Coordinates of all heavy atoms in Angstrom, one line a residue:
A35 N 136.0 98.5 114.9 CA 135.3 98.7 113.6 C 133.8 98.7 113.8 O 133.1 99.4 113.1 CB 135.6 97.5 112.7
I36 N 133.3 98.0 114.8 CA 131.8 98.0 115.0 C 131.2 99.4 115.3 O 130.3 99.8 114.6 CB 131.4 97.0 116.1 CG1 131.7 95.6 115.6 CG2 130.0 97.2 116.6 CD1 131.5 94.5 116.7
P37 N 131.8 100.2 116.2 CA 131.2 101.5 116.4 C 131.5 102.4 115.2 O 130.7 103.3 114.8 CB 131.9 102.1 117.6 CG 132.6 101.0 118.2 CD 132.7 99.9 117.3
G38 N 132.6 102.2 114.5 CA 132.9 102.9 113.3 C 131.9 102.7 112.2 O 131.4 103.7 111.6
I39 N 131.5 101.5 112.0 CA 130.5 101.1 111.0 C 129.1 101.7 111.4 O 128.4 102.2 110.6 CB 130.4 99.6 110.8 CG1 131.7 99.2 110.1 CG2 129.2 99.2 109.9 CD1 131.9 97.7 110.1
L40 N 128.8 101.6 112.7 CA 127.6 102.2 113.2 C 127.5 103.7 113.0 O 126.5 104.3 112.6 CB 127.3 101.9 114.6 CG 127.0 100.4 115.0 CD1 127.0 100.2 116.5 CD2 125.7 100.0 114.3
L41 N 128.7 104.4 113.2 CA 128.7 105.8 113.0 C 128.6 106.2 111.5 O 127.9 107.2 111.2 CB 130.0 106.4 113.6 CG 130.1 106.6 115.1 CD1 131.5 107.0 115.5 CD2 129.1 107.6 115.5
V42 N 129.2 105.4 110.7 CA 129.0 105.6 109.2 C 127.6 105.5 108.8 O 127.0 106.3 108.1 CB 129.9 104.7 108.4 CG1 129.6 104.7 106.9 CG2 131.4 105.0 108.6
G43 N 126.9 104.4 109.3 CA 125.5 104.2 109.0 C 124.6 105.4 109.5 O 123.8 105.9 108.8
M44 N 124.9 105.8 110.7 CA 124.1 106.9 111.3 C 124.4 108.2 110.6 O 123.4 108.9 110.3 CB 124.4 107.0 112.8 CG 123.6 108.0 113.5 SD 124.0 108.4 115.2 CE 124.6 106.8 115.8
G45 N 125.6 108.4 110.3 CA 126.0 109.7 109.6 C 125.4 109.7 108.2 O 124.9 110.7 107.7
A46 N 125.4 108.6 107.5 CA 124.8 108.5 106.1 C 123.3 108.7 106.2 O 122.8 109.4 105.3 CB 125.2 107.1 105.5
Y47 N 122.7 108.1 107.2 CA 121.3 108.3 107.3 C 121.0 109.8 107.6 O 120.0 110.4 107.0 CB 120.7 107.5 108.5 CG 119.3 107.8 108.8 CD1 118.3 107.3 108.0 CD2 118.9 108.6 109.9 CE1 116.9 107.6 108.3 CE2 117.6 108.9 110.2 CZ 116.6 108.4 109.4 OH 115.3 108.7 109.6
L48 N 121.7 110.4 108.5 CA 121.5 111.8 108.8 C 121.7 112.8 107.7 O 121.0 113.8 107.5 CB 122.3 112.2 110.1 CG 121.9 111.6 111.4 CD1 122.9 112.0 112.5 CD2 120.5 112.1 111.8
V49 N 122.8 112.5 106.9 CA 123.2 113.4 105.8 C 122.3 113.2 104.6 O 121.8 114.1 104.0 CB 124.7 113.2 105.5 CG1 125.0 113.9 104.2 CG2 125.5 113.7 106.6

Side-chain angles (χ1 to χ4, degrees):
I36 290 171
I39 292 169
L40 290 174
L41 283 172
V42 167
M44 186 186 324
Y47 173 76
L48 290 173
V49 170

